[in-house]
Amino acid sequence: MGPSSQTNPYVRVELARRNGEPPDPVPRPPEPLVSTTVLSALRQPRQLSREVLAGLVTTLALVPEVISFSIVAGVDPMVSLVASIVLAISMSILGGRPGVITAAAGSVALVIAPLVREHGVEYVLPTVVLAGVVQIAFGFAGLARLMRFIPRSVMTGFVNALGVLIFVAQVPHVIGVPWLAYLLFAVTLAIIVILPRFTKAVPSPLVAIVVVTAVVIVAGLTVPNVADEGPLTGILPGLTPLTVPLDLGTLQIIWPTALSVAFVGLMESLLTAKLVDEMTDTPSHKGRESWGLGVSNILAGFYGGIAGCAMIGQTVLNVKTGRARTRISTIVAGLFLLALVTGLSGIMGRIPMVALAAVMMVVAVTTVDWHSVKPSTLKRMPIPETLVMGVTVAVVVATDNLAYGVVVGVVLAMVLFARRVAHVISVERVADTVGAVRYDVRGPLFFGSSNDLVERFSYAEDPAEVTIDLRHAQIWDASTVAALDAVETKYRDHGARVTIEGLDERSTGFHRRLTGRFGA
């Protein structure tokens, strides 16, 4: 018997059986690689069916949120639904991150709502178009690269807060409902949890929604459903008319809201893209995601009437639960939403809200990074990292706005980082020769660390020749140059001459360009 047969696990099992020995377990074959391109997925029936089914179940979870967000924004539900169709399909083509579901989102609705209340719905179109132009400029300017400066602690807080928001948003749908609704809720959860143990060929959330909806229709049960969230006429509204003048007066009204829509939408879409990058271990094109969102919002503004951005909860459902990886799932979601709105609005309206709430609650629980909040993890993590994560979650939950939490988290992380780095510099005084002294400065010199640099020198005690050695330090900002100028001035007042040496080429050029330009 050759060496290849001895190393074959199946041969080892057979030999062990013949000798009456317990066999070693046969290793399971590795999971097949999942296609990440449309063409590859089209050639693989299993992956194609996975993409289609993920798009279907995601659409069903999308509808009630879009309708409820339209009520928040003060626009007709059909406006938000049609805009979501346009956004989903156009971003499937233009977006830089496959798998991300884009639709009329709650964060954008919250920003637009005050404009609608104060000035009317007719100002939404120019606001959305201006926001789209800003997003296009943001994308082509390459500003999406700023996402790399978001710390992991902020991303972890973002993910955990997302899970909390998704869960809390579903609670009203399971409180104060008929007792039959709780039974349907339990059946939905049971199907979602148990079905994957037998088969994963069809997403369990889709099966749960179909089964529970069929039970409601066949048995004639009366429970809160999608139609209760807003009227579903099944008639497409057509192009959005422009009824306000394009003048400075209109610009003064819309520009604050337009900027808010642009940056809130960008932040949520780019954060969602980054989250999917981590889920799938594949990169995305953040610049394309930015300008693609801008173009899609302009299209949605003219045909639909409202802007949108990435729907984070539905994206997690699509990518994590549905295991979608290509643009097929999002195209299917847009087309299926079109079919539901136009031809299947009656059936869509009969879907029980508790079934959709159960699906999204499961998504919420699986979204939270439970490892990050385990006592053993928190005990090992540095306190500033845990603080940033906690503050990010707290701000998001308090404001119901993911963008606010991320901004506060990033600012806090920057402050805590600057505070830590400010204490890593050291200044060592060494007697050089008779009548001379040398100071060895080590560490990064910037506003946080250089402001107290002036106090590290013994001006009255030092001799006439002082050398400041910066070979182990670098100058990063004007505050450091001003601090070094102040040191030289103090020594000059005591009759001493200062020589600065050891700077690298960049720091030397920076210092030479700014020194002596900060006043007396």
Side-chain angles (χ1 to χ4, degrees), residues 402-417:
L402 289 161
Y404 291 164
V406 171
V407 170
V408 172
V410 169
V411 171
L412 178 60
M414 291 170 59
V415 171
L416 294 176
F417 173 76

Side-chain angles (χ1 to χ4, degrees), residues 316-329:
V316 172
L317 177 62
N318 186 48
V319 174
K320 191 171 184 178
T321 306
R323 295 183 294 164
R325 294 294 182 271
T326 73
R327 300 176 189 273
I328 294 175
S329 62

Side-chain angles (χ1 to χ4, degrees), residues 163-243:
V164 173
L165 287 188
I166 294 174
F167 192 92
V168 171
Q170 311 311 313
V171 172
H173 301 304
V174 295
I175 293 180
V177 294
W179 68 270
L180 278 174
Y182 292 109
L183 181 60
L184 297 174
F185 180 81
V187 170
T188 305
L189 287 178
I191 295 175
I192 293 173
V193 173
I194 297 173
L195 183 62
R197 300 180 182 180
F198 299 95
T199 179
K200 293 184 178 179
V202 182
S204 58
L206 178 60
V207 174
I209 292 172
V210 171
V211 168
V212 171
T213 303
V215 169
V216 169
I217 294 176
V218 172
L221 303 179
T222 302
V223 293
N225 54 34
V226 171
D228 296 333
E229 299 296 308
L232 301 173
T233 61
I235 302 174
L236 297 178
L239 293 175
T240 307
L242 178 63
T243 58

Side-chain angles (χ1 to χ4, degrees), residues 30-193:
E31 288 283 337
L33 293 176
V34 178
S35 302
T36 56
T37 65
V38 172
L39 290 178
S40 298
L42 289 174
R43 299 190 190 103
Q44 301 179 29
R46 177 175 295 183
Q47 176 66 17
L48 179 59
S49 63
R50 182 183 300 164
E51 297 287 330
V52 172
L53 293 173
L56 296 180
V57 69
T58 301
T59 305
L60 296 176
L62 178 70
V63 171
E65 287 204 37
V66 170
I67 295 175
S68 60
F69 292 154
S70 67
I71 297 171
V72 171
V75 299
D76 188 274
M78 286 299 295
V79 168
S80 292
L81 287 170
V82 173
S84 297
I85 295 169
V86 175
L87 287 165
I89 295 176
S90 59
M91 281 299 286
S92 297
I93 301 169
L94 301 175
R97 173 68 262 180
V100 171
I101 300 293
T102 305
S107 56
V108 175
L110 289 172
V111 173
I112 287 181
L115 175 74
V116 175
R117 285 196 301 268
E118 294 179 19
H119 301 284
V121 72
E122 59 270 14
Y123 283 94
V124 173
L125 174 59
T127 300
V128 170
V129 172
L130 180 57
V133 171
V134 172
Q135 290 169 337
I136 293 172
F138 187 94
F140 281 115
L143 297 177
R145 289 192 295 268
L146 295 174
M147 290 298 295
R148 71 183 67 177
F149 297 110
I150 296 181
R152 180 168 182 78
S153 54
V154 175
M155 277 301 299
T156 303
F158 168 81
V159 170
N160 292 343
L162 170 63
V164 173
L165 287 188
I166 294 174
F167 192 92
V168 171
Q170 311 311 313
V171 172
H173 301 304
V174 295
I175 293 180
V177 294
W179 68 270
L180 278 174
Y182 292 109
L183 181 60
L184 297 174
F185 180 81
V187 170
T188 305
L189 287 178
I191 295 175
I192 293 173
V193 173

